[in-house]
Amino acid sequence: MTQTQNIKHKINQQNLIGLFKELSRISGVSGREHRVAGFIRSFFDKASMKIKEDDARIKTGGNQGNLWLIPNSTDLSKPVTAFVAHMDTVRDTSQSVFDINDEKIFSSVPAQLGADNRWGLSMLLNILDICLNDDENPPNIIGICTVAEEAGMLGAKSLDFSICRPEKAIIFDSALRPGSYIKNCAGMSLFECHFSGKAAHSAVDPKSGISAILMAAKVLTEMEMFPVTNGIISNIGSISGGSATNLIPDSCTINGEIRGFNQDDIRNLAQQFSEIASTKAAERGGKVRFSVEVDFEPYSLEKWPELISFTESILERAGLKPNGAVYSGGSDANVLNIAGIPAVNLGVGAQNPHSDNEFVLIEDVRSCLNMISAFYDELKEMESANSAVLMPEQSEKSGQ
Ligand SMILES: [Zn+2]
Protein backbone atom coordinates (compact mmCIF):
# COMPACT_ATOMS: atom_id res chain seq x y z
CA MET A 1 0.00 0.00 0.00
CA THR A 2 1.33 3.43 -0.90
CA GLN A 3 1.63 6.28 1.56
CA THR A 4 -1.14 8.19 -0.25
CA GLN A 5 -3.54 5.26 0.16
CA ASN A 6 -2.68 5.08 3.84
CA ILE A 7 -3.53 8.75 4.30
CA LYS A 8 -6.76 8.35 2.30
CA HIS A 9 -7.84 5.40 4.43
CA LYS A 10 -6.98 7.20 7.66
CA ILE A 11 -9.18 10.15 6.71
CA ASN A 12 -11.98 7.86 5.66
CA GLN A 13 -11.78 5.88 8.89
CA GLN A 14 -12.50 9.02 10.90
CA ASN A 15 -15.31 10.01 8.55
CA LEU A 16 -16.83 6.57 8.56
CA ILE A 17 -16.75 6.20 12.34
CA GLY A 18 -18.14 9.74 12.74
CA LEU A 19 -20.96 8.94 10.34
CA PHE A 20 -21.73 5.71 12.17
CA LYS A 21 -21.79 7.56 15.50
CA GLU A 22 -24.45 9.94 14.18
CA LEU A 23 -26.51 7.26 12.48
CA SER A 24 -26.37 4.77 15.33
CA ARG A 25 -28.24 6.95 17.81
CA ILE A 26 -31.16 7.88 15.58
CA SER A 27 -34.37 6.24 16.68
CA GLY A 28 -35.68 4.16 13.77
CA VAL A 29 -37.20 0.78 14.54
CA SER A 30 -38.93 -1.14 11.75
CA GLY A 31 -41.75 0.91 10.29
CA ARG A 32 -40.44 4.10 11.93
CA GLU A 33 -37.44 4.97 9.77
CA HIS A 34 -38.48 8.51 8.84
CA ARG A 35 -35.80 10.21 11.00
CA VAL A 36 -33.07 8.02 9.55
CA ALA A 37 -34.23 8.94 6.05
CA GLY A 38 -34.22 12.60 7.14
CA PHE A 39 -30.59 12.28 8.19
CA ILE A 40 -29.67 10.75 4.82
CA ARG A 41 -31.48 13.54 2.96
CA SER A 42 -29.62 16.19 4.93
CA PHE A 43 -26.31 14.32 4.54
CA PHE A 44 -26.68 14.61 0.76
CA ASP A 45 -28.22 18.08 0.86
CA LYS A 46 -27.03 20.06 -2.16
CA ALA A 47 -25.16 17.01 -3.51
CA SER A 48 -25.51 16.24 -7.21
CA MET A 49 -27.86 13.42 -6.52
CA LYS A 50 -31.51 12.56 -6.92
CA ILE A 51 -33.18 11.04 -3.85
CA LYS A 52 -36.38 9.16 -4.57
CA GLU A 53 -38.73 7.56 -2.10
CA ASP A 54 -40.84 4.69 -3.37
CA ASP A 55 -44.30 3.76 -2.12
CA ALA A 56 -43.11 1.14 0.39
CA ARG A 57 -44.46 3.43 3.12
CA ILE A 58 -48.00 2.80 1.91
CA LYS A 59 -47.42 -0.89 1.18
CA THR A 60 -45.85 -1.61 4.56
CA GLY A 61 -47.95 0.76 6.69
CA GLY A 62 -44.84 2.44 8.11
CA ASN A 63 -43.81 6.11 8.17
CA GLN A 64 -41.15 5.87 5.45
CA GLY A 65 -40.58 4.32 2.02
CA ASN A 66 -37.33 2.91 0.65
CA LEU A 67 -34.84 5.60 -0.38
CA TRP A 68 -33.15 5.43 -3.76
CA LEU A 69 -29.94 7.48 -3.93
CA ILE A 70 -29.03 8.18 -7.54
CA PRO A 71 -25.92 10.28 -8.25
CA ASN A 72 -26.40 12.59 -11.23
CA SER A 73 -23.41 10.88 -12.85
CA THR A 74 -25.22 7.52 -12.85
CA ASP A 75 -26.82 6.52 -16.15
CA LEU A 76 -29.86 4.37 -15.39
CA SER A 77 -30.03 3.17 -18.99
CA LYS A 78 -26.72 1.34 -18.44
CA PRO A 79 -26.01 -1.59 -16.05
CA VAL A 80 -26.17 -0.30 -12.49
CA THR A 81 -24.60 -1.71 -9.33
CA ALA A 82 -26.73 -1.05 -6.25
CA PHE A 83 -25.36 -0.86 -2.73
CA VAL A 84 -28.01 -1.81 -0.21
CA ALA A 85 -28.44 -1.41 3.55
CA HIS A 86 -31.51 -1.19 5.74
CA MET A 87 -32.46 1.84 7.80
CA ASP A 88 -34.42 0.08 10.55
CA THR A 89 -33.18 -1.50 13.76
CA VAL A 90 -34.93 -4.15 15.85
CA ARG A 91 -34.68 -2.11 19.04
CA ASP A 92 -34.66 1.63 19.61
CA THR A 93 -30.98 2.58 19.56
CA SER A 94 -31.42 6.19 20.70
CA GLN A 95 -30.55 5.22 24.29
CA SER A 96 -27.23 3.64 23.35
CA VAL A 97 -24.04 5.48 24.25
CA PHE A 98 -21.51 5.28 21.46
CA ASP A 99 -18.07 4.39 22.78
CA ILE A 100 -14.81 3.41 21.17
CA ASN A 101 -11.49 2.05 22.38
CA ASP A 102 -8.43 0.60 20.64
CA GLU A 103 -10.23 -2.68 20.11
CA LYS A 104 -13.84 -1.93 19.20
CA ILE A 105 -16.87 0.33 18.87
CA PHE A 106 -19.62 -0.50 21.37
CA SER A 107 -22.34 0.99 23.58
CA SER A 108 -21.14 1.79 27.09
CA VAL A 109 -24.67 1.29 28.48
CA PRO A 110 -26.79 -1.84 27.99
CA ALA A 111 -28.59 -1.06 24.72
CA GLN A 112 -28.43 -2.03 21.07
CA LEU A 113 -25.60 -0.02 19.52
CA GLY A 114 -27.28 -0.10 16.12
CA ALA A 115 -24.42 -1.74 14.23
CA ASP A 116 -27.09 -3.83 12.49
CA ASN A 117 -27.50 -2.11 10.12
CA ARG A 118 -26.39 1.48 10.65
CA TRP A 119 -22.80 0.35 10.26
CA GLY A 120 -23.64 -1.03 6.80
CA LEU A 121 -25.63 2.12 6.09
CA SER A 122 -22.56 4.24 6.98
CA MET A 123 -20.53 2.21 4.46
CA LEU A 124 -23.21 2.77 1.82
CA LEU A 125 -23.29 6.55 2.39
CA ASN A 126 -19.49 6.61 2.38
CA ILE A 127 -19.17 4.90 -1.01
CA LEU A 128 -21.74 7.26 -2.54
CA ASP A 129 -19.92 10.22 -1.03
CA ILE A 130 -16.71 9.08 -2.74
CA CYS A 131 -18.66 8.81 -5.99
CA LEU A 132 -20.09 12.33 -5.64
CA ASN A 133 -16.60 13.74 -5.14
CA ASP A 134 -15.09 11.92 -8.09
CA ASP A 135 -14.71 14.11 -11.17
CA GLU A 136 -13.23 11.35 -13.31
CA ASN A 137 -15.77 8.82 -14.58
CA PRO A 138 -17.31 7.63 -11.31
CA PRO A 139 -18.76 4.12 -11.47
CA ASN A 140 -22.41 3.59 -12.36
CA ILE A 141 -23.75 3.03 -8.88
CA ILE A 142 -26.79 3.81 -6.76
CA GLY A 143 -27.68 3.32 -3.10
CA ILE A 144 -30.86 1.72 -1.85
CA CYS A 145 -31.80 2.21 1.81
CA THR A 146 -34.61 -0.16 2.68
CA VAL A 147 -37.20 -0.07 5.44
CA ALA A 148 -38.59 -2.82 7.66
CA GLU A 149 -35.89 -5.39 6.89
CA GLU A 150 -36.10 -6.66 10.44
CA ALA A 151 -39.85 -7.10 10.12
CA GLY A 152 -39.50 -9.70 7.34
CA MET A 153 -37.81 -7.65 4.58
CA LEU A 154 -41.07 -5.80 3.96
CA GLY A 155 -39.28 -2.84 2.36
CA ALA A 156 -37.27 -5.00 -0.06
CA LYS A 157 -40.48 -6.84 -0.97
CA SER A 158 -41.98 -3.48 -1.94
CA LEU A 159 -39.02 -2.08 -3.93
CA ASP A 160 -40.13 -0.15 -7.00
CA PHE A 161 -37.94 -1.46 -9.82
CA SER A 162 -39.51 0.99 -12.25
CA ILE A 163 -37.09 3.52 -10.67
CA CYS A 164 -34.14 1.30 -11.55
CA ARG A 165 -33.59 -2.43 -11.94
CA PRO A 166 -29.97 -2.95 -10.84
CA GLU A 167 -27.75 -5.42 -12.66
CA LYS A 168 -26.45 -6.59 -9.30
CA ALA A 169 -26.74 -5.66 -5.64
CA ILE A 170 -24.10 -5.50 -2.93
CA ILE A 171 -25.61 -5.68 0.54
CA PHE A 172 -23.69 -4.57 3.64
CA ASP A 173 -25.73 -6.49 6.19
CA SER A 174 -24.14 -9.66 7.48
CA ALA A 175 -22.90 -10.02 11.05
CA LEU A 176 -20.09 -12.22 9.73
CA ARG A 177 -16.57 -10.82 9.73
CA PRO A 178 -15.26 -9.03 6.62
CA GLY A 179 -14.04 -11.58 4.09
CA SER A 180 -17.12 -13.73 4.54
CA TYR A 181 -20.12 -13.44 2.27
CA ILE A 182 -23.30 -15.48 2.22
CA LYS A 183 -23.16 -17.98 -0.60
CA ASN A 184 -26.01 -20.28 0.39
CA CYS A 185 -28.83 -18.91 2.46
CA ALA A 186 -31.82 -20.64 3.97
CA GLY A 187 -35.40 -19.66 3.27
CA MET A 188 -38.17 -19.61 5.84
CA SER A 189 -41.87 -20.40 5.85
CA LEU A 190 -44.22 -19.64 8.71
CA PHE A 191 -47.03 -21.93 9.71
CA GLU A 192 -50.00 -21.82 12.03
CA CYS A 193 -52.18 -24.63 13.40
CA HIS A 194 -55.46 -23.59 14.89
CA PHE A 195 -57.08 -26.48 16.82
CA SER A 196 -60.79 -26.55 17.56
CA GLY A 197 -62.22 -28.81 20.26
CA LYS A 198 -65.32 -28.56 22.40
CA ALA A 199 -65.73 -26.55 25.60
CA ALA A 200 -67.17 -28.21 28.72
CA HIS A 201 -66.96 -27.87 32.51
CA SER A 202 -63.86 -29.77 33.54
CA ALA A 203 -65.52 -31.35 36.62
CA VAL A 204 -69.28 -31.38 35.94
CA ASP A 205 -69.24 -32.72 32.39
CA PRO A 206 -65.69 -33.60 31.38
CA LYS A 207 -66.65 -36.40 29.01
CA SER A 208 -68.44 -34.08 26.58
CA GLY A 209 -65.40 -31.80 26.24
CA ILE A 210 -62.60 -32.06 23.67
CA SER A 211 -59.40 -30.33 24.74
CA ALA A 212 -57.74 -28.35 21.98
CA ILE A 213 -54.65 -27.92 24.18
CA LEU A 214 -54.16 -31.70 24.50
CA MET A 215 -54.66 -31.99 20.74
CA ALA A 216 -51.89 -29.44 20.20
CA ALA A 217 -49.65 -31.25 22.71
CA LYS A 218 -49.97 -34.55 20.79
CA VAL A 219 -49.20 -32.79 17.53
CA LEU A 220 -46.16 -31.01 18.96
CA THR A 221 -44.72 -34.29 20.22
CA GLU A 222 -45.15 -35.87 16.77
CA MET A 223 -43.68 -32.83 15.01
CA GLU A 224 -40.64 -32.89 17.26
CA MET A 225 -40.02 -36.57 16.54
CA PHE A 226 -40.47 -36.20 12.77
CA PRO A 227 -37.14 -36.96 11.06
CA VAL A 228 -35.71 -34.09 9.02
CA THR A 229 -32.66 -33.91 6.75
CA ASN A 230 -30.90 -31.48 4.38
CA GLY A 231 -30.26 -28.87 7.04
CA ILE A 232 -33.95 -28.27 7.74
CA ILE A 233 -34.70 -26.54 11.04
CA SER A 234 -38.14 -26.08 12.54
CA ASN A 235 -39.26 -24.28 15.65
CA ILE A 236 -42.53 -23.70 17.46
CA GLY A 237 -42.30 -20.13 18.62
CA SER A 238 -45.64 -19.54 20.29
CA ILE A 239 -48.65 -21.32 21.71
CA SER A 240 -51.87 -19.84 23.00
CA GLY A 241 -55.19 -21.26 24.12
CA GLY A 242 -57.57 -21.85 27.01
CA SER A 243 -59.00 -19.35 29.45
CA ALA A 244 -59.75 -21.01 32.83
CA THR A 245 -58.64 -24.06 34.76
CA ASN A 246 -62.21 -25.33 35.16
CA LEU A 247 -62.91 -25.21 31.45
CA ILE A 248 -61.89 -27.76 28.86
CA PRO A 249 -60.36 -25.48 26.21
CA ASP A 250 -62.03 -25.44 22.80
CA SER A 251 -59.26 -23.63 20.98
CA CYS A 252 -55.49 -23.58 20.82
CA THR A 253 -53.12 -22.04 18.27
CA ILE A 254 -49.49 -22.81 17.65
CA ASN A 255 -47.17 -20.80 15.43
CA GLY A 256 -43.91 -22.04 14.04
CA GLU A 257 -41.33 -21.69 11.32
CA ILE A 258 -39.45 -24.01 9.00
CA ARG A 259 -36.09 -23.04 7.55
CA GLY A 260 -34.20 -24.87 4.83
CA PHE A 261 -31.96 -24.47 1.81
CA ASN A 262 -34.43 -25.89 -0.69
CA GLN A 263 -37.96 -24.58 -1.07
CA ASP A 264 -39.28 -28.07 -1.93
CA ASP A 265 -37.88 -29.45 1.35
CA ILE A 266 -39.61 -26.67 3.28
CA ARG A 267 -42.89 -27.24 1.43
CA ASN A 268 -42.71 -31.02 1.99
CA LEU A 269 -42.12 -30.66 5.73
CA ALA A 270 -45.01 -28.20 6.01
CA GLN A 271 -47.19 -30.75 4.22
CA GLN A 272 -46.08 -33.47 6.67
CA PHE A 273 -46.85 -31.19 9.62
CA SER A 274 -50.27 -30.45 8.17
CA GLU A 275 -51.03 -34.19 7.87
CA ILE A 276 -49.82 -34.90 11.42
CA ALA A 277 -52.03 -32.10 12.73
CA SER A 278 -55.12 -33.36 10.83
CA THR A 279 -54.61 -36.96 11.92
CA LYS A 280 -54.05 -36.17 15.59
CA ALA A 281 -56.92 -33.68 15.75
CA ALA A 282 -59.29 -36.21 14.16
CA GLU A 283 -58.17 -38.97 16.57
CA ARG A 284 -59.37 -36.77 19.44
CA GLY A 285 -62.58 -35.75 17.70
CA GLY A 286 -61.45 -32.22 16.95
CA LYS A 287 -60.45 -30.20 13.91
CA VAL A 288 -57.44 -28.22 12.78
CA ARG A 289 -56.95 -25.37 10.37
CA PHE A 290 -53.39 -25.42 9.07
CA SER A 291 -51.91 -22.52 7.11
CA VAL A 292 -48.44 -21.88 5.79
CA GLU A 293 -46.87 -18.89 4.05
CA VAL A 294 -43.47 -18.27 2.54
CA ASP A 295 -41.67 -15.51 4.44
CA PHE A 296 -38.56 -15.61 2.30
CA GLU A 297 -37.16 -18.16 -0.12
CA PRO A 298 -33.68 -19.70 0.04
CA TYR A 299 -31.01 -18.82 -2.51
CA SER A 300 -27.66 -20.02 -3.70
CA LEU A 301 -25.19 -17.73 -5.41
CA GLU A 302 -24.07 -20.74 -7.49
CA LYS A 303 -26.79 -19.47 -9.83
CA TRP A 304 -24.73 -16.31 -10.42
CA PRO A 305 -21.10 -17.46 -10.92
CA GLU A 306 -20.11 -14.00 -12.17
CA LEU A 307 -21.24 -12.47 -8.89
CA ILE A 308 -19.20 -15.02 -6.93
CA SER A 309 -16.04 -14.27 -8.90
CA PHE A 310 -16.68 -10.50 -8.67
CA THR A 311 -17.19 -10.71 -4.90
CA GLU A 312 -14.14 -12.87 -4.32
CA SER A 313 -11.92 -10.63 -6.42
CA ILE A 314 -13.12 -7.60 -4.42
CA LEU A 315 -12.41 -9.33 -1.11
CA GLU A 316 -8.95 -10.37 -2.27
CA ARG A 317 -8.28 -6.85 -3.49
CA ALA A 318 -9.25 -5.64 -0.01
CA GLY A 319 -6.61 -7.98 1.46
CA LEU A 320 -9.20 -10.41 2.83
CA LYS A 321 -9.60 -14.15 2.46
CA PRO A 322 -12.93 -14.84 0.70
CA ASN A 323 -15.19 -17.23 2.54
CA GLY A 324 -18.50 -18.22 0.95
CA ALA A 325 -20.64 -19.03 3.99
CA VAL A 326 -23.80 -21.02 4.59
CA TYR A 327 -26.29 -19.04 6.66
CA SER A 328 -29.77 -19.58 8.08
CA GLY A 329 -30.86 -15.97 8.65
CA GLY A 330 -32.65 -13.98 5.96
CA SER A 331 -31.83 -10.53 4.60
CA ASP A 332 -32.79 -8.26 1.70
CA ALA A 333 -30.49 -10.49 -0.39
CA ASN A 334 -33.13 -13.26 -0.28
CA VAL A 335 -35.77 -10.96 -1.72
CA LEU A 336 -33.50 -9.54 -4.43
CA ASN A 337 -32.12 -12.90 -5.52
CA ILE A 338 -35.61 -14.36 -5.81
CA ALA A 339 -36.63 -11.25 -7.79
CA GLY A 340 -33.86 -12.18 -10.28
CA ILE A 341 -31.32 -9.55 -9.21
CA PRO A 342 -27.98 -11.17 -8.29
CA ALA A 343 -27.37 -10.00 -4.73
CA VAL A 344 -24.57 -10.75 -2.32
CA ASN A 345 -24.74 -10.06 1.41
CA LEU A 346 -21.30 -9.27 2.78
CA GLY A 347 -19.90 -9.73 6.24
CA VAL A 348 -19.30 -6.26 7.73
CA GLY A 349 -18.47 -7.39 11.25
CA ALA A 350 -21.54 -6.00 13.06
CA GLN A 351 -21.25 -8.66 15.75
CA ASN A 352 -23.85 -9.91 18.25
CA PRO A 353 -26.65 -8.23 16.27
CA HIS A 354 -29.72 -6.95 18.17
CA SER A 355 -28.14 -7.62 21.59
CA ASP A 356 -26.88 -5.25 24.28
CA ASN A 357 -23.46 -6.40 23.23
CA GLU A 358 -23.39 -5.34 19.58
CA PHE A 359 -19.95 -4.18 18.51
CA VAL A 360 -17.65 -3.62 15.55
CA LEU A 361 -13.94 -4.37 15.85
CA ILE A 362 -11.56 -1.60 14.80
CA GLU A 363 -9.75 -4.24 12.78
CA ASP A 364 -13.01 -4.80 10.88
CA VAL A 365 -13.51 -1.05 10.40
CA ARG A 366 -10.22 -1.06 8.51
CA SER A 367 -11.25 -4.11 6.49
CA CYS A 368 -14.57 -2.49 5.61
CA LEU A 369 -12.76 0.64 4.42
CA ASN A 370 -10.56 -1.54 2.25
CA MET A 371 -13.70 -3.24 0.89
CA ILE A 372 -15.26 0.13 0.02
CA SER A 373 -12.09 1.17 -1.82
CA ALA A 374 -11.85 -2.20 -3.56
CA PHE A 375 -15.48 -2.04 -4.75
CA TYR A 376 -15.09 1.49 -5.93
CA ASP A 377 -11.83 0.98 -7.79
CA GLU A 378 -12.81 -2.38 -9.30
CA LEU A 379 -16.15 -1.11 -10.61
CA LYS A 380 -14.49 1.94 -12.06
CA GLU A 381 -11.81 -0.14 -13.78
CA MET A 382 -14.32 -2.69 -15.09
CA GLU A 383 -16.55 0.00 -16.50
CA SER A 384 -13.74 1.89 -18.18
CA ALA A 385 -12.42 -1.41 -19.63
CA ASN A 386 -15.92 -2.15 -20.98
CA SER A 387 -16.27 1.27 -22.55
CA ALA A 388 -12.78 0.89 -24.06
CA VAL A 389 -13.95 -2.38 -25.65
CA LEU A 390 -17.03 -0.59 -27.04
CA MET A 391 -15.09 2.32 -28.44
CA PRO A 392 -13.74 0.67 -31.67
CA GLU A 393 -17.26 -0.57 -32.59
CA GLN A 394 -18.69 2.86 -32.03
CA SER A 395 -15.92 4.36 -34.13
CA GLU A 396 -16.70 1.95 -36.99
CA LYS A 397 -20.42 2.77 -36.83
CA SER A 398 -19.74 6.45 -37.01
CA GLY A 399 -17.34 5.83 -39.92
CA GLN A 400 -14.32 7.30 -38.11
ZN1 LIG B 1 -29.55 -6.35 9.38
Side-chain angles (χ1 to χ4, degrees):
M1 189 179 280
T2 65
Q3 180 124 21
T4 326
Q5 280 172 315
N6 267 326
I7 291 165
K8 185 175 134 197
H9 287 158
K10 199 174 168 188
I11 294 165
N12 279 345
Q13 182 168 323
Q14 287 168 349
N15 288 349
L16 188 60
I17 291 175
L19 189 54
F20 177 41
K21 183 176 181 178
E22 290 192 68
L23 273 169
S24 68
R25 51 190 175 194
I26 304 173
S27 176
V29 295
S30 305
R32 289 286 170 272
E33 301 89 348
H34 190 64
R35 278 188 216 155
V36 186
F39 175 89
I40 295 168
R41 285 183 189 278
S42 59
F43 182 78
F44 287 121
D45 188 32
K46 298 194 181 78
S48 348
M49 168 187 272
K50 285 180 279 303
I51 300 183
K52 295 189 178 182
E53 180 182 349
D54 65 21
D55 62 359
R57 181 179 64 81
I58 296 157
K59 290 181 180 163
T60 63
N63 70 356
Q64 177 61 45
N66 301 307
L67 278 191
W68 296 70
L69 312 176
I70 307 168
N72 289 348
S73 58
T74 294
D75 182 350
L76 297 182
S77 68
K78 290 183 179 164
V80 166
T81 300
F83 290 90
V84 182
H86 62 86
M87 293 187 279
D88 59 315
T89 53
V90 172
R91 298 160 65 194
D92 187 349
T93 60
S94 60
Q95 301 306 311
S96 68
V97 176
F98 189 97
D99 208 343
I100 184 165
N101 59 25
D102 289 344
E103 187 202 355
K104 62 184 181 181
I105 304 170
F106 58 102
S107 170
S108 56
V109 299
Q112 185 185 356
L113 171 66
D116 179 12
N117 186 219
R118 305 286 171 73
W119 173 239
L121 196 56
S122 309
M123 291 172 65
L124 182 154
L125 299 191
N126 191 273
I127 200 164
L128 284 168
D129 199 35
I130 296 171
C131 181
L132 292 165
N133 288 294
D134 183 351
D135 299 330
E136 280 178 31
N137 299 321
N140 218 38
I141 62 175
I142 63 168
I144 303 176
C145 310
T146 59
V147 295
E149 192 272 351
E150 302 286 9
M153 291 82 88
L154 298 179
K157 287 172 184 171
S158 308
L159 281 167
D160 181 358
F161 294 121
S162 71
I163 295 172
C164 169
R165 191 174 169 84
E167 183 198 43
K168 60 180 173 299
I170 311 300
I171 300 170
F172 294 136
D173 187 27
S174 164
L176 299 173
R177 303 282 305 276
S180 290
Y181 68 96
I182 297 171
K183 197 171 183 180
N184 292 294
C185 187
M188 180 176 83
S189 288
L190 304 170
F191 66 90
E192 182 175 284
C193 297
H194 178 75
F195 297 96
S196 300
K198 194 174 166 203
H201 193 291
S202 60
V204 178
D205 189 19
K207 286 206 172 120
S208 68
I210 300 171
S211 169
I213 289 181
L214 290 179
M215 236 184 274
K218 281 281 175 195
V219 169
L220 291 177
T221 308
E222 291 279 322
M223 281 181 178
E224 200 205 353
M225 287 179 351
F226 194 83
V228 291
T229 49
N230 297 343
I232 286 250
I233 303 168
S234 73
N235 180 51
I236 304 296
S238 73
I239 180 164
S240 62
S243 57
T245 56
N246 62 357
L247 184 66
I248 292 174
D250 65 349
S251 84
C252 182
T253 304
I254 59 173
N255 290 85
E257 62 171 44
I258 302 171
R259 292 179 193 243
F261 293 88
N262 180 309
Q263 193 58 34
D264 287 340
D265 291 344
I266 297 173
R267 204 177 294 118
N268 289 341
L269 187 60
Q271 180 59 32
Q272 299 289 346
F273 280 0
S274 169
E275 285 167 18
I276 290 169
S278 301
T279 307
K280 292 293 153 191
E283 278 174 14
R284 300 187 78 90
K287 285 186 182 151
V288 64
R289 197 174 63 241
F290 185 93
S291 59
V292 61
E293 65 177 64
V294 176
D295 194 50
F296 55 90
E297 289 189 38
Y299 69 83
S300 170
L301 293 190
E302 308 284 0
K303 196 175 159 191
W304 323 109
E306 282 183 9
L307 182 62
I308 294 179
S309 54
F310 173 73
T311 303
E312 299 205 343
S313 74
I314 296 291
L315 295 171
E316 276 165 9
R317 187 171 183 154
L320 298 161
K321 195 167 173 290
N323 168 39
V326 174
Y327 202 70
S328 293
S331 74
D332 287 342
N334 293 68
V335 180
L336 291 167
N337 277 304
I338 298 308
I341 295 168
V344 60
N345 190 8
L346 289 154
V348 294
Q351 298 195 57
N352 296 330
H354 311 174
S355 75
D356 283 348
N357 189 27
E358 260 190 10
F359 67 89
V360 183
L361 293 175
I362 300 300
E363 182 190 341
D364 289 352
V365 169
R366 289 192 203 103
S367 298
C368 287
L369 277 163
N370 289 340
M371 274 202 285
I372 290 171
S373 297
F375 270 116
Y376 196 82
D377 296 343
E378 183 104 353
L379 283 168
K380 204 166 155 155
E381 285 169 20
M382 280 168 68
E383 286 172 19
S384 67
N386 284 345
S387 61
V389 169
L390 285 174
M391 289 286 253
E393 273 182 37
Q394 285 164 346
S395 304
E396 267 172 43
K397 276 181 199 159
S398 61
Q400 288 169 338

